[in-house]
Amino acid sequence: MPKHNCILSHAAALPSLKKLAGKRVVLASNSPRRREILRTFGLEPEIVPSTFEENLPVGSFEDIHEYPVATATQKAVEVYQRLLEENPDDAPDLVIAADTVVFTHAPPSTSDATYGTDSGPQDLLEKPTSKEDNMRMLLDLNGGICEVVTGVTLVYPTLVAPGYDIKSIDERSLVYFSDSPQHVLKAYVDSGEGLDRAGGFAIQGLGGMLIRKVDGDYNNVVGFPAASFLRFLELLVDEEDDFLAD
């Protein structure tokens, strides 16, 4: 049996992280941003990207916030089942998957209700297909508010059918855009940074110059809500007997 060690030396001495010691923990994503956020908090899971096509129809969800949770769930289950089939003697103890999406025209928080109040229906912003598409997105977001939602799903083995359990959360953050002149937007688009980002911007990079403030978890906007994830782990350790059982 291979040995697994996903806990780094600087990790906080949390009961949930201690339970992960020696476990096979898998991140169903090849996102360098998610990996780096987890490393910051002392967790370095095995990287096994999901092959799920992420093509769920957005219109099929009564609440659009369920969309990233459903996508994360499909990704986590696909990786768990694949690894279990490949090596039943070394099945994952925990698979983590996440999906971060950007929705336009978010309502402002109550603490800033006078800013960007002209909100319409929320639309999903995928990655831009071109620089022209990136510019279209930024013009739509400019001076307004978008909502960044990350669905996080955990899959772990249990003794009851179907042999695993699924637990999910979602984290929501509001991103307030400055009212930038068009030449600033064009300069950002020309940098190419936004082409590989949902919503067409990277807050942790050059895209930060377009942002006035964030209401919520900054790491969530980058791609993974670490604080909520760690609280979720603590809750599962306390309340779920099958979670990370030896």
Side-chain angles (χ1 to χ4, degrees):
M1 289 286 291
K3 293 184 178 180
H4 301 288
N5 182 25
C6 64
I7 304 301
L8 301 176
S9 59
H10 67 274
L14 299 174
S16 57
L17 292 184
K18 289 180 179 180
K19 288 274 284 186
L20 292 179
K23 306 289 188 182
R24 187 182 185 189
V25 180
V26 176
L27 178 63
S29 171
N30 60 5
S31 165
R33 295 169 292 280
R34 291 189 182 125
R35 183 175 184 179
E36 186 57 34
I37 290 171
L38 287 170
R39 279 185 58 86
T40 297
F41 289 87
L43 185 61
E44 188 168 50
E46 179 183 344
I47 304 299
V48 181
S50 172
T51 60
F52 178 65
E53 293 184 7
E54 302 187 35
N55 57 0
L56 298 174
V58 180
S60 66
F61 295 92
E62 185 175 344
D63 180 353
I64 58 173
H65 299 94
E66 297 173 358
Y67 171 78
V69 173
T71 299
T73 299
Q74 294 288 341
K75 291 160 71 171
V77 170
E78 186 278 321
V79 167
Y80 182 86
Q81 292 178 335
R82 172 158 45 101
L83 294 179
L84 179 63
E85 291 173 3
E86 289 176 357
N87 189 352
D89 294 328
D90 189 29
D93 296 292
L94 181 66
V95 173
I96 307 164
D99 185 55
T100 301
V101 298
V102 177
F103 294 116
T104 61
H105 308 302
S109 68
T110 54
S111 63
D112 205 355
T114 61
Y115 187 82
T117 55
D118 186 20
S119 59
Q122 287 189 264
D123 297 318
L124 174 68
L125 290 183
E126 303 279 9
K127 295 177 181 179
T129 57
S130 64
K131 287 187 175 182
E132 291 75 19
D133 192 36
N134 197 171
M135 189 65 172
R136 175 192 64 79
M137 290 182 179
L138 294 181
L139 286 170
D140 192 23
L141 294 171
N142 196 38
I145 311 167
C146 74
E147 185 177 31
V148 179
V149 183
T150 301
V152 178
T153 294
L154 308 181
V155 174
Y156 55 92
T158 63
L159 297 177
V160 297
Y164 58 86
D165 205 350
I166 301 169
K167 300 292 183 181
S168 301
I169 58 171
D170 71 77
E171 183 75 15
R172 309 177 190 186
S173 302
L174 297 180
V175 178
Y176 291 69
F177 281 77
S178 300
D179 191 3
S180 301
Q182 190 158 330
H183 74 271
V184 172
L185 301 180
K186 184 177 185 305
Y188 180 69
V189 168
D190 287 342
S191 76
E193 181 186 77
L195 289 175
D196 190 39
R197 305 294 197 277
F201 69 96
I203 193 172
Q204 74 277 19
L206 290 175
M209 69 182 180
L210 308 178
I211 307 305
R212 188 172 75 88
K213 75 169 188 174
V214 173
D215 185 357
D217 184 351
Y218 172 85
N219 281 323
N220 181 51
V221 183
V222 177
F224 193 82
S228 292
F229 165 73
L230 291 172
R231 288 194 298 271
F232 190 37
L233 283 183
E234 293 285 305
L235 181 66
L236 291 175
V237 167
D238 288 341
E239 297 185 357
E240 299 292 329
D241 292 338
D242 284 339
F243 185 65
L244 301 178
D246 294 323

